[in-house]
Amino acid sequence: NYESIVKNIAGILNDNGVKKPLINLTSTKTNFGIRKLSEFIDDLPLNQKIFFIGDTNAGKSSIINKLIKQNDLHKPMLTTSSYVNTTIDFQKIKIDKHQIIDTPGFESQSNILAYVTNIKDVRSKVNIKKINSVYFLIKQEQAFILDGLANITFKPLNEKAGVSFYLTLDAKITRTKPENLQKHLDNDSLAFNISKPYENDIVFDNLKNTTYTIQIDGLGHIIFKNIKEIKLSINKNVKVELFPGRIC
């Protein structure tokens, strides 16, 4: 998994002009890669300014907090949350001989949270501590409603088809037959209000008898196997990517 993730990231960076990138995978949940990152920073020349940059809500402040703990520094932690634009100004933190600078994130128009119109009403569903994960066996064509955020339909390839949702939002997953989908959308009480929620239909078809991962910016990822076709209805500006294999 580690090698495949690094290979995918390196490929994306190379396609965008970044040659021979140094890639360090980290997890603020398990602390994986934090020590290696700390050692990399420590080996830099004296008095370097190190900027953490990226999309809003990507986890920059969370990584810096882990570096503070890793180095046993008695410094206040940076504020983090699942909301976009939590860091609104440059914040400087001295770690050993270097200055770490946390930056406001780039406003991401590809993140589904940018289109939630009732964000204050669903605060508890956005700011969750644990990924919401659930598995479904798919024996016939099935549709799933993700609490107003999106809906997705799966056509199984065989009797071993299955789908696992790993959502970073506390979204209720409603399973139904495709012919009943619109009825649920019209009548069910859905937590999230989205600007133009189902204006874009993305179809992945002719899929092989293997495992794939769909990543939806701001919502999480969906891992499935033995599925021949998928139809995803979502706001057209939200970034959706399909990868071969299991990426988590």
Side-chain angles (χ1 to χ4, degrees):
N1 265 351
Y2 183 94
E3 289 77 12
S4 64
I5 293 172
V6 169
K7 183 178 179 180
N8 282 330
I9 295 172
I12 293 170
L13 292 174
N14 271 280
D15 290 344
N16 287 275
V18 181
K19 305 302 180 183
K20 296 182 180 180
L22 295 176
I23 299 172
N24 180 64
L25 301 183
T26 61
S27 168
T28 56
K29 181 178 179 180
T30 65
N31 290 330
F32 177 83
I34 299 297
R35 180 180 294 277
K36 183 179 178 181
L37 178 61
S38 180
E39 291 172 351
F40 171 79
I41 293 173
D42 192 53
D43 289 339
L44 293 173
L46 287 172
N47 300 318
Q48 292 289 304
K49 289 184 177 180
I50 302 163
F51 291 83
F52 278 68
I53 62 175
D55 282 349
T56 182
N57 207 229
K60 301 179 295 295
S61 300
S62 296
I63 292 177
I64 293 174
N65 283 340
K66 289 295 183 179
L67 290 173
I68 291 173
K69 287 185 178 181
Q70 175 71 34
N71 288 273
D72 295 323
L73 302 176
H74 299 291
K75 295 179 181 292
M77 294 293 171
L78 301 177
T79 301
T80 63
S81 83
S82 297
Y83 291 100
V84 297
N85 298 326
T86 301
T87 302
I88 59 175
D89 202 356
F90 289 86
Q91 300 189 57
K92 300 176 181 179
I93 304 96
K94 190 75 172 179
I95 295 182
D96 196 15
K97 56 190 177 184
H98 303 301
Q99 190 173 70
I100 305 292
I101 301 172
D102 190 20
T103 64
F106 307 132
E107 185 171 347
S108 176
Q109 297 301 311
S110 67
N111 191 310
I112 199 167
L113 289 175
Y115 304 99
V116 176
T117 59
N118 63 330
I119 192 71
K120 291 183 179 180
D121 298 330
V122 293
R123 183 180 298 271
S124 63
K125 290 183 173 292
V126 173
N127 194 21
I128 63 174
K129 301 296 183 182
K130 186 179 179 181
I131 289 178
N132 179 23
S133 62
V134 61
Y135 171 79
F136 295 93
L137 188 65
I138 308 294
K139 293 186 177 181
Q140 58 185 355
E141 185 175 357
Q142 294 281 285
F144 295 85
I145 302 169
L146 306 183
D147 220 356
L149 296 164
N151 62 69
I152 184 167
T153 301
F154 296 93
K155 290 183 179 180
L157 185 64
N158 54 45
E159 70 279 0
K160 295 182 179 179
V163 177
S164 294
F165 292 86
Y166 296 87
L167 305 184
T168 55
L169 306 178
D170 184 18
K172 179 180 66 175
I173 301 173
T174 302
R175 180 177 186 172
T176 186
K177 294 179 179 179
E179 58 267 29
N180 294 330
L181 177 60
Q182 191 58 52
K183 179 181 177 181
H184 281 281
L185 292 175
D186 292 339
N187 298 322
D188 288 5
S189 177
L190 304 175
F192 294 87
N193 293 333
I194 296 284
S195 173
K196 299 180 180 179
Y198 312 125
E199 63 179 341
N200 188 36
D201 287 336
I202 302 172
V203 177
F204 299 109
D205 55 8
N206 298 317
L207 299 173
K208 299 178 181 179
N209 182 18
T210 186
T211 300
Y212 292 89
T213 299
I214 291 179
Q215 290 187 332
I216 303 174
D217 195 359
L219 179 56
H221 56 275
I222 303 167
I223 298 174
F224 59 91
K225 187 175 182 179
N226 299 318
I227 298 291
K228 64 180 180 181
E229 183 178 309
I230 291 174
K231 179 182 176 183
L232 172 66
S233 298
I234 198 167
N235 181 288
K236 68 178 182 180
N237 296 312
V238 176
K239 186 176 182 180
V240 178
E241 295 180 284
L242 177 70
F243 298 97
R246 182 183 180 93
I247 300 177
C248 59

